[in-house]
Amino acid sequence: MMMTQGPWMLALSASPKWLESLVERLFAYLPAWLTSSLAPTEVADFIVWPLIQIGVMLVVVLTAVAYLTLAERKVSAWIQVRVGPNRTGPLGLLQPAADGIKLLIKEDVIPFKADKTVFTLAPIISMVCAFIVLAVLPYGPHYASITNINIGLLFILSVSSVGVLGIILGGWASNSKYPLLGALRSSAQMVSYEAAIGLTIVSALIFTRTFSMQGIVEAQRSLGIWFVLFLFPSFIVFLISVVAETNRAPFDLAEAESELVGGFHTEYSGFRFSIFFIAEYANMVVVSAIGATLYLGGWYVPGMDWVAARLPEAYREAALTLMGVTAFAIKCGAILYLFIWMRWTFPRYRYDQLMELGWKWLMPAALANIALTATIFIVGKELGLVRSAGGVLQMDWQGKLFFTLAGLLSMFPILALLNAINRNSKSFNLRAQRTTIPVSTRKVKLSPGVKAA
Amino acid sequence: MLLVGWEAVFFWMLTLVALFAAVFTVSARNPVHCALFLISTLIAKGALFLLLRAEFVAGAQILVYVGGILVLFLFVLMLVNTRSEVENPFNRQDKVGAFIAALVGLAILGAVTYTQQRGGFFKTKPSADRMAIENAKPDPNAPAGVISADTETLGVTLYTRAVLPFEIASVLLLMAIVGSVLLARDRRQEETYD
Amino acid sequence: MYLVALVPFFPLLGFIVNGLFAKRLGFSEKVIGAIACAMVAASFVCSAAAVYEFSRHARDNKVQAAAKQREAELQARILGQGVAYDAKTDTKREAPEHKSDDHKEGAHEVVATPYVVTLFEWMPGGTLRLTLGASAGQTAEFSVKWAYQLDQLSGLYILFVTFVAFFIHLFAIGYMHGDPSFHRFFAYLNLFMFMMLNLVLGANFLMTFVGWEGVGLASYLLIGYYLKKPEAGTAAKKAFVMNRVGDFGLMLAMMATFAVFGTLDYADVMAMAKALPQEPFGLAALSFTTGTLTVIALLIFLGAAGKSAQIPLYTWLPDAMAGPTPVSALIHAATMVTAGVYLVARCNPLFQRAPTAMLTVAVIGIATAFVAATIGITQTDIKKALAYSTVSQLGYMFVGCGVGAFVAGVFHVVTHAFFKAQLFLGSGSVIHGGSPSGHQQEMTYYGNFRKYMPITFATMMLSLFAICGIIPFAGFFSKDEILAKTLHTPVFSHEVGLALYALGFLTAGVTAFYMTRLMCLTFFGKERFLEGPDFQEGHSEDHGDGHHAPASKDFHPHESPLVMTLPLMVLGAFAVVAGFAGVSEELTGGAFPNYVHHWLAPVMDATLYPEKPVAGVNWTEWLLAGASVVWALVMMGLAYFLYVIRPELPEKLAQTLRPLYTLSYRKWFWDEFIDVYLVGAFKKLSLGAWGVDFVVDSIVNLFAWLARASSVIFRTVQTGLMQNYALVMALGIFLFIAGMGYPLFKELFMPTDRPSPPPTPQTSRAAQP
Amino acid sequence: MMTFLALAASWAARQASEPSLMERYVQGLKEVDASKFLVLSAIIFSLGMGGVLIRRNIIVIFMSVELMLSAANLNFIAFARYWQTQGGLYAYNGHVMTIFVIVVAAAEAALGLGLLLALYRNRETIAADEINLLKW
């Protein structure tokens, strides 16, 4: 069975040489009917090496997720001027293990007349969708991403939208009022903010000019600059909507204890609850990784090539990979820290304010951003500040300066637009609120300029 | 053009999944299960699109269809407390519908096989340069991520050859939004705004 | 002379003003009356001026020559020698220079010189082929113009019509005082005048016909004036229908005249008629081939009989008395009923050439006279009695025309108009003043009114003598001339003349009898007006202002105011004087000129029966005249005796002559005859119509049922189930694919002939700049 | 009758020359060309139609409609793919058409479900056969 060379081949990076020789040696031992139709190289490229990569990625991400829970509790403690878990294991490092074991041991309750299949399926869906995205994330040059498909970003978006299903089914399957309402609310929130994320990504695409994640990092590498400088307003919108997307921090109304008890996963307990829990944190990690790749240059740091060029030829590849991975980890960590930090500083949004923020603030901002960046790009192109050679942009320093300044300046028209749109919307407009409160209940004396309602 | 080797394997797996899910979408008792099976059919189809090298469409299909429309379906399912139907819908007494649907399917199949018999669908053999493009290997030093130009070409097509339908589609969507807003207004809003 | 065109339009203006604006602008009775009388007076003045100017115009030699020239040309055409005559181009041609004065008659040659004023062309028709009579086969242009013709006959008529009408309008102001729809009455009167003048002044048959119908309409409106009286309505309808029956004959006559003469204008028709030979006598003349003129004449007479209430169609006139008295006076005494005589007089050349028609006219005339007179004897209603006297006098006029004495007939019309109008107005004032309610028409409740109404009594006595034909009064000269002419008629044999004379003589006596009976019952004898129903309990007035309280016993009749008595006096005077206008030269032996005779001579055709020059005083005429006067006086004395000296005698006489009395009192059973035969036959005919109606209805119902039935079938498709509809759609798709789909599919995927497009690679890479 | 015999004869001859049924079957398995896709979409289409015709619940009817639409999409892409190689109609028409089908499906679903909710509020039921006010 001859395998013609298809374009898929390149999506999976070729396996290293030692692995191919290893596989050939293995073939000798395997039975003939099995190995007759398979060429050792293909097997190595398409089966063994990806599995190894996936294994590594899973281990890394799972430990990261686990320790993220610990980090969150630690940081929240520090914010509240207390120490946080430091009893289990040295400096509390074993706390995640403890939580994990605790959840495993706990009795796994399925509510009466709940739809068993869907009840069990829901956490799996959300978990799977969270982890699938990892396949596309590049954490290092060349080999350091499980695969590099052409529509990476689109794939991520669609998978995250499928993730919403998990929550909906979770809420519905538990066959009780609160989870159902919680699921409705959180899924509505996720769907609307997902749209916002999509639009911000569109504005980023103007500069990356490709969907594939490696391509995005390569674009920033070729320009030698992170896109956050060009797309600062869209980065802010991205951050806010991402936080909302993962139901965290100021926007975690759905699961908030004071609101709907546990939101969609109140009925879950034990292992299923841990899966939901892991899925949430995995989502957080993934989203921050995307943010890092898209805006903060992924594994690329401006000086990296210069340093690699200094090293001897043999080590250059390994050095690049090492530097890439560390850079990527640091960036993800920074964004995660932002998540956690945001959680303990901002008050929770009321649900209608939350939706209003999504639809009346972030969405218009993203749309305006697309329009502005597009115009800026065309203007830049006309002025000859940016050339696109073979599908990839090339700029010299004047171009970069122009785009950075334009990016920053474009913040103001967006803010003006937002103000115009929400001029008299009740919830945010304090002036409006002050005037609409009936005179009888208002103790505060009106400032001279303001008219009573 | 032919899917051979692994692609054929993938194809047959996905068709099985798609068919299996389609059958259950139609015959599942509980509407939510229908929705789930529909989701799986659509995802299988998305994968089939990938096989047919229509990447953007696959992504769009999953993003819009599964992420948007079916989420909406589930929303509505939850709001409307549907009880799962008592008996298997297929053994309802009026089988005429099934019979006619089968007839339509058979008719299409008949047409397809007949043309297949008479020498396949495409008389003209692919032109030489067409084949070249098909089997062309992207140059190794091209920047990563520029493997197939599907998305770019589609983008170009959308904005050059299909501009009018594009605009009409946008107007259609606008109407849909306005329509649904109107439908969703409750009585109080009705009085205040009309 | 062009004023003649204005004459009819003054009353029309009066009609419009009174009709439309009177009520809306709130004119008072005085104003309305003034307008109406002014209009009639204006048209009288215009017609007088026009007639005077016409009389000088007629004597002008040049005009006479031109008329003679036209007449000769027309006669040539009718006899087929001349070139095809195109009536449309007939304009008033100037008289040729040379005077063709070849006739040997006296210097003053009698030539009809009608003066025609054309307002506009009313009916421009195409060229039609003439089918009847001598000029069959020729083509003629059918063109009817709205034109007025002023000649001696119409001049006389418009003079006496407007004159009498003026006084009747004056009388009506007083009589109709206090009537709620005062303006409506006067509007209709003016409308009637407009129509009558149109009829008389009409230059062609159609114009006359317009007047003819208009007059019929006006009489209908006026008879039915008292809206609340049911019998007024039925009488109006009866009058209108009977007139229509007559009009039917007139219409046929018009069509026939066009078929024969190719034109409807009187001037041309009469000129051409003079050239035609006289038609045979007797039944042979009754076919279109031999006796065309006779048939036309008979049809005209049918029209005239309808309008002037002759034997077959006279029953509407007595019933028409239901209208107000001035109406009866104006329409049913003086003007409308004489229209028939006018038409016959106008068409005298036709009649003279149709002896059978002349005989029928004479016989029917005399019969009507006699029958009406006998019925008049037993009438108790004063107006009905007068109506029957009108019918009999009309009979006399037609006898005059029938025997060829058209001039005598017309002269009797004029005199009759005066004294009959006066009699009616007199009866009006009698009715007005004779009872508390002002509407008592029964003579049985009159009596000895002469003490209370001296003027009315005096003036009515004048008319009595006039109608009875006593020597100095108008009636004598006109009626005796007719009787004289019937005796010496050149048209028929001597015996026929004698028989007609005898009947005429007898009727004259009967007329004298019933007229004096009327006068005695009203003015002489015992006062009976207190026994009238007004004084009885519970007497409810049938029309309008019914008041139930019995009038107080000390009522006595009162004289009418001046506005009513003035016309009486004037008309009475004319009843006396009018006679001398037409004294027969037989009596005076030429010493005293017969003005009417000379005035109307040009209109009357003297070719067949030339005038006999008068030798001297014809003593036999005097003998006959004296006999008739004596006979009238005897009958008056008898009437006086019966009704004043011995009032119980008539009752006994009635018992003895029971059959005669009932015959006369029941109006010769003529109404019953019509009801049984004519109306009955018509009812049977209408039964047949029901069948046709049934068939048509059933066809229509069939379609309705069809629609309903098919809808039942198609309704079943609408099951309401969404999925059924989807099912049908699916079926459709299947059929489409199985049936239609294949060729489409084949064409799509196995394109045989289409060239495939150029295989340019379509990748963005290639398109990249 | 004669033509029928001639046809049968020619058919038999052709059959003889063709490879055996089994081989063709295996060959078919290996090579997947457009017709396989069409067959698949035909089956899914007819299943969807069956669903529309049979199911009582309107939402499931909607889903079956979506199913039919996706079958159509599959056809579009299949032809786009196989035409792309034939240089026939411009290859990407199929893709564009699919996108527009998805747009329409989205619009239809949004409005349809809105209507359904309104219907549910009034009628308390979303069974197709209970909503038959238009019944004659």
Short mmCIF file of all heavy atoms in Angstrom, two decimals, chain C residues 574-615:
data_model
loop_
_atom_site.label_atom_id
_atom_site.label_comp_id
_atom_site.label_asym_id
_atom_site.label_seq_id
_atom_site.Cartn_x
_atom_site.Cartn_y
_atom_site.Cartn_z
N PHE C 574 -113.74 88.64 -24.82
CA PHE C 574 -113.28 88.05 -26.09
C PHE C 574 -114.29 87.04 -26.60
O PHE C 574 -114.49 86.89 -27.81
CB PHE C 574 -111.90 87.39 -25.88
CG PHE C 574 -110.78 88.34 -26.21
CD1 PHE C 574 -110.27 89.20 -25.27
CD2 PHE C 574 -110.30 88.39 -27.52
CE1 PHE C 574 -109.25 90.09 -25.61
CE2 PHE C 574 -109.28 89.29 -27.85
CZ PHE C 574 -108.76 90.14 -26.89
N ALA C 575 -114.94 86.31 -25.65
CA ALA C 575 -115.95 85.32 -26.12
C ALA C 575 -117.00 86.04 -26.96
O ALA C 575 -117.53 85.51 -27.94
CB ALA C 575 -116.60 84.66 -24.90
N VAL C 576 -117.23 87.27 -26.62
CA VAL C 576 -118.23 88.02 -27.40
C VAL C 576 -117.62 88.51 -28.70
O VAL C 576 -118.09 88.21 -29.79
CB VAL C 576 -118.72 89.23 -26.55
CG1 VAL C 576 -119.60 90.12 -27.41
CG2 VAL C 576 -119.42 88.74 -25.30
N VAL C 577 -116.43 89.14 -28.58
CA VAL C 577 -115.87 89.88 -29.74
C VAL C 577 -115.27 88.95 -30.77
O VAL C 577 -115.38 89.16 -31.98
CB VAL C 577 -114.77 90.86 -29.20
CG1 VAL C 577 -114.00 91.42 -30.36
CG2 VAL C 577 -115.41 91.91 -28.34
N ALA C 578 -114.64 87.83 -30.29
CA ALA C 578 -113.81 87.00 -31.19
C ALA C 578 -114.58 86.58 -32.44
O ALA C 578 -114.01 86.43 -33.51
CB ALA C 578 -113.34 85.74 -30.42
N GLY C 579 -115.89 86.41 -32.30
CA GLY C 579 -116.64 85.88 -33.44
C GLY C 579 -116.47 86.72 -34.68
O GLY C 579 -116.32 86.22 -35.80
N PHE C 580 -116.41 88.06 -34.49
CA PHE C 580 -116.43 88.91 -35.69
C PHE C 580 -115.15 88.81 -36.49
O PHE C 580 -115.03 89.29 -37.60
CB PHE C 580 -116.67 90.37 -35.25
CG PHE C 580 -118.02 90.52 -34.55
CD1 PHE C 580 -118.13 90.65 -33.19
CD2 PHE C 580 -119.19 90.45 -35.32
CE1 PHE C 580 -119.38 90.77 -32.58
CE2 PHE C 580 -120.43 90.56 -34.71
CZ PHE C 580 -120.53 90.71 -33.33
N ALA C 581 -114.08 88.14 -35.93
CA ALA C 581 -112.84 88.05 -36.69
C ALA C 581 -113.03 87.15 -37.91
O ALA C 581 -112.29 87.24 -38.87
CB ALA C 581 -111.72 87.46 -35.78
N GLY C 582 -114.01 86.18 -37.81
CA GLY C 582 -114.10 85.26 -38.94
C GLY C 582 -115.53 85.12 -39.47
O GLY C 582 -116.01 84.01 -39.66
N VAL C 583 -116.20 86.28 -39.64
CA VAL C 583 -117.60 86.17 -40.14
C VAL C 583 -117.58 85.61 -41.55
O VAL C 583 -116.85 86.08 -42.42
CB VAL C 583 -118.26 87.57 -40.12
CG1 VAL C 583 -119.67 87.46 -40.70
CG2 VAL C 583 -118.26 88.12 -38.71
N SER C 584 -118.40 84.57 -41.73
CA SER C 584 -118.37 83.89 -43.04
C SER C 584 -118.90 84.84 -44.14
O SER C 584 -119.90 85.56 -43.92
CB SER C 584 -119.32 82.67 -42.98
OG SER C 584 -119.84 82.42 -44.28
N GLU C 585 -118.20 84.87 -45.21
CA GLU C 585 -118.60 85.81 -46.28
C GLU C 585 -119.89 85.38 -46.92
O GLU C 585 -120.57 86.18 -47.61
CB GLU C 585 -117.46 85.90 -47.32
CG GLU C 585 -116.34 86.80 -46.82
CD GLU C 585 -115.06 86.60 -47.60
OE1 GLU C 585 -115.08 85.77 -48.52
OE2 GLU C 585 -114.07 87.25 -47.25
N GLU C 586 -120.25 84.13 -46.72
CA GLU C 586 -121.55 83.71 -47.25
C GLU C 586 -122.65 84.60 -46.65
O GLU C 586 -123.54 85.08 -47.36
CB GLU C 586 -121.81 82.24 -46.82
CG GLU C 586 -120.76 81.27 -47.35
CD GLU C 586 -120.98 81.00 -48.83
OE1 GLU C 586 -122.13 81.17 -49.24
OE2 GLU C 586 -120.01 80.70 -49.55
N LEU C 587 -122.48 84.80 -45.29
CA LEU C 587 -123.57 85.56 -44.63
C LEU C 587 -123.51 87.02 -45.05
O LEU C 587 -124.52 87.64 -45.43
CB LEU C 587 -123.42 85.43 -43.09
CG LEU C 587 -123.58 83.97 -42.56
CD1 LEU C 587 -123.25 83.93 -41.06
CD2 LEU C 587 -125.01 83.51 -42.80
N THR C 588 -122.29 87.54 -45.04
CA THR C 588 -122.22 89.01 -45.25
C THR C 588 -122.11 89.33 -46.73
O THR C 588 -122.05 90.50 -47.11
CB THR C 588 -120.97 89.56 -44.58
OG1 THR C 588 -119.89 88.85 -45.19
CG2 THR C 588 -121.00 89.31 -43.10
N GLY C 589 -121.98 88.30 -47.54
CA GLY C 589 -121.91 88.61 -48.98
C GLY C 589 -120.69 89.43 -49.32
O GLY C 589 -120.73 90.32 -50.16
N GLY C 590 -119.56 89.17 -48.59
CA GLY C 590 -118.34 89.85 -48.98
C GLY C 590 -118.22 91.25 -48.46
O GLY C 590 -117.15 91.86 -48.52
N ALA C 591 -119.23 91.80 -47.87
CA ALA C 591 -119.13 93.19 -47.39
C ALA C 591 -118.13 93.24 -46.25
O ALA C 591 -117.21 94.06 -46.19
CB ALA C 591 -120.49 93.66 -46.90
N PHE C 592 -118.23 92.23 -45.37
CA PHE C 592 -117.36 92.26 -44.18
C PHE C 592 -116.30 91.17 -44.37
O PHE C 592 -116.61 90.00 -44.50
CB PHE C 592 -118.23 91.94 -42.94
CG PHE C 592 -117.47 92.15 -41.65
CD1 PHE C 592 -117.32 93.43 -41.15
CD2 PHE C 592 -116.94 91.06 -40.98
CE1 PHE C 592 -116.62 93.61 -39.95
CE2 PHE C 592 -116.26 91.24 -39.79
CZ PHE C 592 -116.09 92.52 -39.27
N PRO C 593 -115.06 91.53 -44.52
CA PRO C 593 -114.01 90.54 -44.88
C PRO C 593 -113.85 89.47 -43.76
O PRO C 593 -113.90 89.80 -42.57
CB PRO C 593 -112.74 91.37 -45.01
CG PRO C 593 -112.97 92.54 -44.11
CD PRO C 593 -114.45 92.82 -44.09
N ASN C 594 -113.64 88.23 -44.23
CA ASN C 594 -113.43 87.14 -43.24
C ASN C 594 -111.92 87.09 -42.93
O ASN C 594 -111.14 86.41 -43.60
CB ASN C 594 -113.91 85.80 -43.86
CG ASN C 594 -113.75 84.66 -42.84
OD1 ASN C 594 -113.03 84.85 -41.87
ND2 ASN C 594 -114.41 83.55 -43.09
N TYR C 595 -111.48 87.87 -41.95
CA TYR C 595 -110.03 88.03 -41.70
C TYR C 595 -109.35 86.67 -41.52
O TYR C 595 -108.36 86.34 -42.17
CB TYR C 595 -109.85 88.89 -40.41
CG TYR C 595 -110.36 90.29 -40.57
CD1 TYR C 595 -111.56 90.69 -39.98
CD2 TYR C 595 -109.68 91.20 -41.39
CE1 TYR C 595 -112.02 91.97 -40.13
CE2 TYR C 595 -110.16 92.49 -41.55
CZ TYR C 595 -111.34 92.88 -40.93
OH TYR C 595 -111.83 94.14 -41.11
N VAL C 596 -109.93 85.83 -40.68
CA VAL C 596 -109.25 84.53 -40.39
C VAL C 596 -109.06 83.74 -41.69
O VAL C 596 -107.99 83.21 -41.96
CB VAL C 596 -110.14 83.73 -39.40
CG1 VAL C 596 -109.61 82.31 -39.27
CG2 VAL C 596 -110.21 84.44 -38.06
N HIS C 597 -110.13 83.77 -42.51
CA HIS C 597 -110.05 82.98 -43.74
C HIS C 597 -108.92 83.47 -44.62
O HIS C 597 -108.07 82.70 -45.07
CB HIS C 597 -111.39 83.11 -44.49
CG HIS C 597 -111.48 82.15 -45.64
ND1 HIS C 597 -111.69 80.79 -45.50
CD2 HIS C 597 -111.31 82.36 -46.96
CE1 HIS C 597 -111.68 80.22 -46.68
NE2 HIS C 597 -111.46 81.17 -47.60
N HIS C 598 -108.86 84.84 -44.78
CA HIS C 598 -107.79 85.36 -45.65
C HIS C 598 -106.42 85.12 -45.00
O HIS C 598 -105.42 84.83 -45.63
CB HIS C 598 -108.04 86.86 -45.89
CG HIS C 598 -109.31 87.07 -46.64
ND1 HIS C 598 -109.59 86.39 -47.82
CD2 HIS C 598 -110.42 87.80 -46.40
CE1 HIS C 598 -110.78 86.73 -48.28
NE2 HIS C 598 -111.32 87.60 -47.42
N TRP C 599 -106.37 85.19 -43.67
CA TRP C 599 -105.07 85.07 -43.00
C TRP C 599 -104.55 83.65 -43.20
O TRP C 599 -103.38 83.46 -43.56
CB TRP C 599 -105.24 85.39 -41.50
CG TRP C 599 -104.00 85.09 -40.67
CD1 TRP C 599 -103.83 84.04 -39.85
CD2 TRP C 599 -102.80 85.84 -40.62
NE1 TRP C 599 -102.59 84.08 -39.25
CE2 TRP C 599 -101.94 85.19 -39.73
CE3 TRP C 599 -102.38 87.03 -41.28
CZ2 TRP C 599 -100.64 85.66 -39.45
CZ3 TRP C 599 -101.09 87.46 -40.98
CH2 TRP C 599 -100.23 86.78 -40.07
N LEU C 600 -105.47 82.64 -43.07
CA LEU C 600 -104.95 81.26 -43.11
C LEU C 600 -104.90 80.70 -44.54
O LEU C 600 -104.41 79.60 -44.75
CB LEU C 600 -105.85 80.34 -42.27
CG LEU C 600 -105.74 80.60 -40.73
CD1 LEU C 600 -106.76 79.72 -40.00
CD2 LEU C 600 -104.33 80.33 -40.26
N ALA C 601 -105.41 81.45 -45.53
CA ALA C 601 -105.51 80.91 -46.91
C ALA C 601 -104.18 80.34 -47.39
O ALA C 601 -104.10 79.20 -47.84
CB ALA C 601 -105.98 82.01 -47.86
N PRO C 602 -103.02 81.06 -47.27
CA PRO C 602 -101.76 80.51 -47.83
C PRO C 602 -101.43 79.12 -47.26
O PRO C 602 -100.92 78.26 -47.96
CB PRO C 602 -100.70 81.54 -47.38
CG PRO C 602 -101.45 82.75 -46.98
CD PRO C 602 -102.79 82.33 -46.55
N VAL C 603 -101.80 78.92 -45.96
CA VAL C 603 -101.39 77.62 -45.37
C VAL C 603 -102.24 76.49 -45.94
O VAL C 603 -101.79 75.37 -46.15
CB VAL C 603 -101.55 77.69 -43.82
CG1 VAL C 603 -101.23 76.33 -43.21
CG2 VAL C 603 -100.69 78.79 -43.26
N MET C 604 -103.56 76.86 -46.23
CA MET C 604 -104.47 75.78 -46.66
C MET C 604 -104.28 75.56 -48.16
O MET C 604 -104.22 76.52 -48.94
CB MET C 604 -105.92 76.20 -46.36
CG MET C 604 -106.14 76.46 -44.86
SD MET C 604 -105.52 75.11 -43.84
CE MET C 604 -105.54 75.85 -42.23
N ASP C 605 -104.21 74.26 -48.54
CA ASP C 605 -103.96 73.93 -49.96
C ASP C 605 -105.31 73.98 -50.70
O ASP C 605 -106.24 73.27 -50.35
CB ASP C 605 -103.39 72.50 -50.02
CG ASP C 605 -103.39 72.01 -51.47
OD1 ASP C 605 -103.37 72.90 -52.35
OD2 ASP C 605 -103.42 70.80 -51.69
N ALA C 606 -105.37 74.87 -51.68
CA ALA C 606 -106.67 75.04 -52.39
C ALA C 606 -106.62 74.39 -53.76
O ALA C 606 -107.52 74.62 -54.59
CB ALA C 606 -106.96 76.53 -52.53
N THR C 607 -105.55 73.58 -54.02
CA THR C 607 -105.44 73.06 -55.40
C THR C 607 -106.59 72.10 -55.70
O THR C 607 -107.21 72.17 -56.75
CB THR C 607 -104.11 72.27 -55.54
OG1 THR C 607 -104.05 71.37 -54.42
CG2 THR C 607 -102.94 73.24 -55.50
N LEU C 608 -106.96 71.19 -54.74
CA LEU C 608 -107.96 70.16 -55.08
C LEU C 608 -109.36 70.76 -55.00
O LEU C 608 -110.20 70.54 -55.88
CB LEU C 608 -107.82 68.98 -54.08
CG LEU C 608 -106.62 68.05 -54.38
CD1 LEU C 608 -106.53 66.96 -53.31
CD2 LEU C 608 -106.78 67.43 -55.76
N TYR C 609 -109.57 71.55 -53.92
CA TYR C 609 -110.95 72.08 -53.76
C TYR C 609 -110.86 73.62 -53.77
O TYR C 609 -110.76 74.22 -52.70
CB TYR C 609 -111.56 71.58 -52.44
CG TYR C 609 -111.53 70.07 -52.32
CD1 TYR C 609 -110.56 69.42 -51.56
CD2 TYR C 609 -112.46 69.30 -53.02
CE1 TYR C 609 -110.53 68.03 -51.48
CE2 TYR C 609 -112.43 67.90 -52.94
CZ TYR C 609 -111.47 67.28 -52.17
OH TYR C 609 -111.44 65.91 -52.07
N PRO C 610 -110.83 74.23 -54.95
CA PRO C 610 -110.68 75.70 -55.00
C PRO C 610 -111.85 76.42 -54.36
O PRO C 610 -112.95 75.87 -54.27
CB PRO C 610 -110.65 75.99 -56.51
CG PRO C 610 -111.26 74.79 -57.15
CD PRO C 610 -111.05 73.62 -56.24
N GLU C 611 -111.55 77.61 -53.88
CA GLU C 611 -112.59 78.44 -53.24
C GLU C 611 -113.64 78.88 -54.30
O GLU C 611 -113.29 79.23 -55.42
CB GLU C 611 -111.94 79.74 -52.67
CG GLU C 611 -110.98 79.47 -51.52
CD GLU C 611 -111.74 78.94 -50.31
OE1 GLU C 611 -112.83 79.47 -50.04
OE2 GLU C 611 -111.27 77.94 -49.72
N LYS C 612 -114.87 78.87 -53.87
CA LYS C 612 -115.90 79.41 -54.82
C LYS C 612 -116.06 80.89 -54.51
O LYS C 612 -116.24 81.26 -53.34
CB LYS C 612 -117.24 78.70 -54.55
CG LYS C 612 -117.28 77.26 -55.11
CD LYS C 612 -118.69 76.72 -55.10
CE LYS C 612 -119.13 76.54 -53.65
NZ LYS C 612 -118.20 75.59 -52.91
N PRO C 613 -115.90 81.73 -55.48
CA PRO C 613 -116.06 83.17 -55.18
C PRO C 613 -117.48 83.45 -54.67
O PRO C 613 -118.44 82.77 -55.08
CB PRO C 613 -115.85 83.86 -56.53
CG PRO C 613 -116.05 82.77 -57.54
CD PRO C 613 -115.71 81.46 -56.89
N VAL C 614 -117.59 84.42 -53.76
CA VAL C 614 -118.90 84.68 -53.12
C VAL C 614 -119.70 85.65 -54.00
O VAL C 614 -119.21 86.73 -54.34
CB VAL C 614 -118.68 85.33 -51.71
CG1 VAL C 614 -120.02 85.76 -51.13
CG2 VAL C 614 -117.95 84.36 -50.83
N ALA C 615 -120.89 85.20 -54.41
CA ALA C 615 -121.71 86.08 -55.28
C ALA C 615 -122.28 87.21 -54.46
O ALA C 615 -121.92 88.37 -54.59
CB ALA C 615 -122.84 85.27 -55.89
#
